[in-house]
Amino acid sequence: MTYKELANLIYPNAKEIIYYETKYPKRNLPEGAIVTRFAPSPTGFVHIGGLYQALVARTVAKKTNGVFFLRVEDTDQKREIENGVTGIVDSLKDFDMAPDEGMITDTEEIGEYGPYKQSLRKDIYQAYAKYMLEQGKAYPCFATPEELEEMRAKQEAAKVRTGYYGVWAKYRNLSLEEMAEKIKAGVPYIIRFKSPGREDRKIKHKDLIKGNVEFPENDQDVVIIKSDGLPTYHFAHAVDDHLMGTTHVIRSDEWLSSVPLHLQLFQELGFKAPKYAHISPIMKNDNGNKRKLSKRKDPEAAVSYYEELGIPSLAVKEYLLNIANSTFENWRRQNKDAKLEEFDFQLNKMSVSGALFDMVKLQDVSKIVISKMTAEEVYEKSLEWANRHDQELVEMLTDKPYSLKVLGIERGNIKPRKDIAKWSDVKENIIYMYDHKFLDNKQEYPYQVINDPKDINKILDLYIEKYYNPEDDKQTWFDKIKALSGEMGYATEVKEFKANPDKYKAHVGDVSTVLRIALTTRTNTPDMYEIMQVLGKASIVKRFEKAKQ
Ligand code: GLU
């Protein structure tokens, strides 16, 4: 019995690997172009850490005019859920990170290196497993779950490493005849890698994020094909990233310790190994303790959370790049209007211990991102969000021309308003500008320094009767508030008030506050001149009538 005969017995119909090697030729890309991928399992949950990895992988590929593809790793069919792929594909689209190749819906894909869904690549894995069997680099293993359990118990009792290796690898040295006999007799088996490694030897690896690392060689005969005929992660990684031409494997650092095994698999398969970049998990400061962002404990671990709050995807990406490379912040300061794609992202500047994620900072970033949007963009995006989450806001935004004016207040100038961090803030921020929301409801007026009803009523009446003119430019408008202040015996300049505090009851700023509160019930609003321009005379008069004490 030869290896070849055994391989034929196991996989009689598998193609020779030359077929696949020809079908998926080396990519024809410019010198230095990097090919990366995002390779999630469709568990139905998209973790912000996954999006972070995808963003890093995509950024690196785009920077070099390379390729970023999406591969769905569904070989663990127990973990799969319905529509798991759709969730991933949609998230990437929402973040404007659609892949160049790979799955684009639950069932469709684009690109020449597919299928991009592992469960559809069974034949390919079996061809490569057969190739390994033919060379004696893999073998069928007949160990039952009970046998493996017993082995583990013995290893634990003897205080040695657990696993299937060396003397413990019971089926590794069966004769080919014995193997064939068992297979013919229908004994269940899986396929294991026959590791050439030795635990007492070290391998050195240069990780693009973690730097130089040293590990013992792998000596575990890991499973490469499971009993359901599908590959394990390790084998699929080697076969897929080889055939798909991945140059840089950018993935979670939970895989760092598997590098010795993966390098060995590439070596034994005769493939050129990719470069690796292992990303540390996103961390959170939990009352002084730095810990991983947890799917179970932290709502912000779910990508869907940001959509629900209405944090624009651009802001989330901007923030993720911010925590990915500490040089980003400085770059942004110097390149305020540059596109994210222009940032010179560096893998080797990523944190080795894990970037700290902070919702408050994310919202600060988001405020700046939104402040740069036009009124039209803010309108469209708020409305899109409101259509999914807030009917009252949809109704407010129905009057588009008016809403554009409201959202246009203090926007498009050098110091645009920064009071919106998320679309769910919009309603609260603008509701007072809508007469049917404002005038028809009871309001509380938190008057401040000037709080005598007589004074308030007089200011409001006098302003309308004598001073208000919708045609006034901003300077004239303000001069008139000063004049009104003077007429009522308040200081027309704050400076003057401070110099002679006993002479005046209040100053022009306090008069403005009365007007502001009467108009909006708020002490803090965007520019009052613009607010009055947008409201118009009829509304202002009604608001003042309502505000009188
Ligand atoms: N499916 C693997 C995971 O979700 C992918 C790891 C990789 O990127 O290679 O952990």
Side-chain angles (χ1 to χ4, degrees):
M1 180 108 213
T2 62
Y3 285 131
K4 220 176 160 102
E5 283 163 353
L6 179 73
N8 259 330
L9 179 65
I10 296 177
Y11 295 121
N13 302 319
K15 289 194 167 64
E16 290 197 32
I17 66 162
I18 185 71
Y19 171 80
Y20 297 108
E21 296 290 322
T22 316
K23 180 168 176 193
Y24 305 110
K26 221 169 132 12
R27 289 170 182 274
N28 188 8
L29 289 170
E31 177 85 20
I34 289 179
V35 180
T36 62
R37 81 294 191 281
F38 179 41
S41 300
T43 57
F45 183 86
V46 187
H47 194 288
I48 188 76
L51 188 80
Y52 181 60
Q53 284 168 33
L55 175 64
V56 169
R58 186 171 186 277
T59 303
V60 169
K62 291 284 151 195
K63 204 178 113 179
T64 58
N65 293 317
V67 176
F68 167 68
F69 67 86
L70 172 64
R71 180 171 71 226
V72 170
E73 305 217 323
D74 59 345
T75 57
D76 186 355
Q77 302 206 313
K78 286 194 288 295
R79 288 176 63 202
E80 242 202 292
I81 68 135
E82 222 182 313
N83 297 329
V85 181
T86 314
I88 296 163
V89 166
D90 289 351
S91 291
L92 290 183
K93 264 194 224 140
D94 288 347
F95 283 84
D96 207 7
M97 280 167 44
D100 304 313
E101 279 177 19
M103 304 300 296
I104 50 162
T105 69
D106 218 356
T107 50
E108 293 159 285
E109 59 174 40
I110 47 170
E112 301 293 314
Y113 290 82
Y116 294 87
K117 196 180 197 179
Q118 289 183 329
S119 56
L120 302 175
R121 300 173 62 80
K122 210 166 171 171
D123 294 350
I124 304 179
Y125 303 121
Q126 295 192 348
Y128 283 85
K130 182 173 185 182
Y131 173 70
M132 296 286 271
L133 286 162
E134 283 169 355
Q135 298 171 79
K137 292 179 176 176
Y139 62 92
C141 170
F142 304 91
T144 60
E146 295 72 35
E147 269 178 287
L148 293 173
E149 195 36 60
E150 196 186 320
M151 174 186 87
R152 191 186 175 85
K154 281 192 191 152
Q155 288 169 332
E156 276 167 3
K159 296 200 164 43
V160 297
R161 281 184 301 131
T162 55
Y164 204 89
Y165 62 95
V167 293
W168 301 97
K170 185 170 163 191
Y171 294 94
R172 177 179 169 124
N173 296 316
L174 238 48
S175 72
L176 295 176
E177 285 71 23
E178 283 172 301
M179 290 179 187
E181 220 169 275
K182 284 189 185 293
I183 289 169
K184 285 182 193 151
V187 180
Y189 62 92
I190 45 94
I191 308 293
R192 281 187 191 272
F193 173 47
K194 194 168 185 179
S195 171
R198 274 185 25 196
E199 212 255 344
D200 58 345
R201 285 195 302 231
K202 296 260 182 287
I203 71 144
K204 286 197 167 84
H205 162 68
K206 188 171 181 338
D207 191 84
L208 297 176
I209 295 173
K210 304 274 179 177
N212 289 320
V213 279
E214 207 179 81
F215 292 105
E217 266 183 21
N218 171 64
D219 66 346
Q220 299 271 349
D221 285 359
V222 296
V223 177
I224 57 175
I225 303 283
K226 302 177 291 177
S227 55
D228 58 6
L230 284 168
T232 52
Y233 167 73
H234 309 298
F235 194 57
H237 155 51
V239 171
D240 291 349
D241 284 315
H242 161 68
L243 289 177
M244 295 177 179
T246 308
T247 61
H248 290 55
V249 169
I250 298 176
R251 63 185 178 186
S252 146
D253 71 355
E254 69 189 282
W255 298 109
L256 181 64
S257 59
S258 302
V259 165
L261 164 65
H262 295 163
L263 291 176
Q264 218 176 50
L265 280 169
F266 274 87
Q267 171 80 28
E268 295 305 307
L269 281 157
F271 302 158
K272 179 173 187 284
K275 293 201 163 71
Y276 287 98
H278 286 94
I279 300 188
S280 314
I282 293 184
M283 310 294 278
K284 153 174 188 150
N285 187 336
D286 187 0
N287 289 322
N289 278 335
K290 207 175 157 187
R291 64 163 174 82
K292 274 193 213 175
L293 208 54
S294 142
K295 166 175 168 178
R296 213 164 29 83
K297 287 190 229 158
D298 308 312
E300 68 269 35
V303 165
S304 54
Y305 180 69
Y306 303 90
E307 192 284 320
E308 279 153 30
L309 282 181
I311 298 187
S313 52
L314 186 60
V316 176
K317 281 203 289 190
E318 169 111 7
Y319 181 64
L320 290 178
L321 281 179
N322 221 304
I323 60 170
N325 265 189
S326 57
T327 47
F328 183 89
E329 205 168 343
N330 208 14
W331 171 83
R332 179 48 94 204
R333 215 171 289 132
Q334 282 158 14
N335 301 276
K336 289 206 161 54
D337 298 316
K339 290 209 165 100
L340 289 183
E341 290 72 31
E342 292 168 39
F343 173 62
D344 183 20
F345 182 81
Q346 302 286 342
L347 279 174
N348 62 8
K349 294 212 181 97
M350 289 188 76
S351 159
V352 172
S353 61
L356 207 54
F357 188 90
D358 177 349
M359 274 307 282
V360 175
K361 285 213 187 108
L362 164 61
Q363 296 200 48
D364 287 344
V365 166
S366 187
K367 283 180 183 167
I368 296 173
V369 167
I370 294 178
S371 77
K372 290 184 196 158
M373 293 182 183
T374 61
E376 181 83 34
E377 272 177 282
V378 174
Y379 176 83
E380 292 301 339
K381 288 185 194 292
S382 309
L383 183 58
E384 260 172 45
W385 178 85
N387 276 325
R388 292 190 297 270
H389 300 284
D390 188 344
Q391 279 315 302
E392 188 181 9
L393 181 57
V394 172
E395 177 264 310
M396 280 163 59
L397 296 175
T398 313
D399 183 348
K400 181 170 174 179
Y402 182 73
S403 299
L404 283 179
K405 282 197 230 161
V406 171
L407 295 168
I409 292 174
E410 275 192 46
R411 194 169 286 284
N413 53 11
I414 11 169
K415 258 192 108 224
R417 65 194 280 188
K418 294 200 180 69
D419 55 348
I420 304 175
K422 43 195 187 301
W423 307 129
S424 54
D425 292 341
V426 170
K427 184 166 83 184
E428 171 58 19
N429 279 15
I430 64 172
I431 195 161
Y432 63 81
M433 292 299 290
Y434 291 79
D435 280 352
H436 66 289
K437 293 283 171 198
F438 188 87
L439 294 170
D440 300 350
N441 290 315
K442 191 173 158 6
Q443 305 290 353
E444 296 289 332
Y445 291 86
Y447 290 114
Q448 311 274 307
V449 175
I450 301 174
N451 54 18
D452 181 330
K454 276 206 306 302
D455 294 341
I456 289 167
N457 296 352
K458 179 131 188 248
I459 290 173
L460 298 177
D461 282 340
L462 202 54
Y463 184 72
I464 294 294
E465 283 158 20
K466 188 162 167 193
Y467 292 99
Y468 175 64
N469 178 354
E471 311 286 300
D472 287 343
D473 64 16
K474 190 162 176 182
Q475 189 56 51
T476 315
W477 168 84
F478 191 58
D479 287 345
K480 286 190 176 168
I481 299 179
K482 278 191 191 173
L484 165 71
S485 304
E487 179 172 347
M488 291 201 44
Y490 301 119
T492 55
E493 303 287 341
V494 180
K495 247 194 294 171
E496 199 192 326
F497 175 80
K498 285 199 176 141
N500 304 290
D502 302 333
K503 215 171 127 190
Y504 301 102
K505 281 196 294 184
H507 58 70
V508 59
D510 301 317
V511 173
S512 292
T513 299
V514 170
L515 299 178
R516 188 186 307 277
I517 290 173
L519 286 171
T520 68
T521 69
R522 301 184 184 195
T523 48
N524 212 337
T525 69
D527 186 75
M528 185 163 52
Y529 173 74
E530 287 190 53
I531 288 180
M532 290 173 91
Q533 291 281 309
V534 172
L535 289 175
K537 183 157 187 179
S539 171
I540 296 173
V541 169
K542 280 188 220 146
R543 284 169 189 245
F544 282 2
E545 281 311 310
K546 186 176 168 82
K548 282 195 202 160
Q549 299 295 290

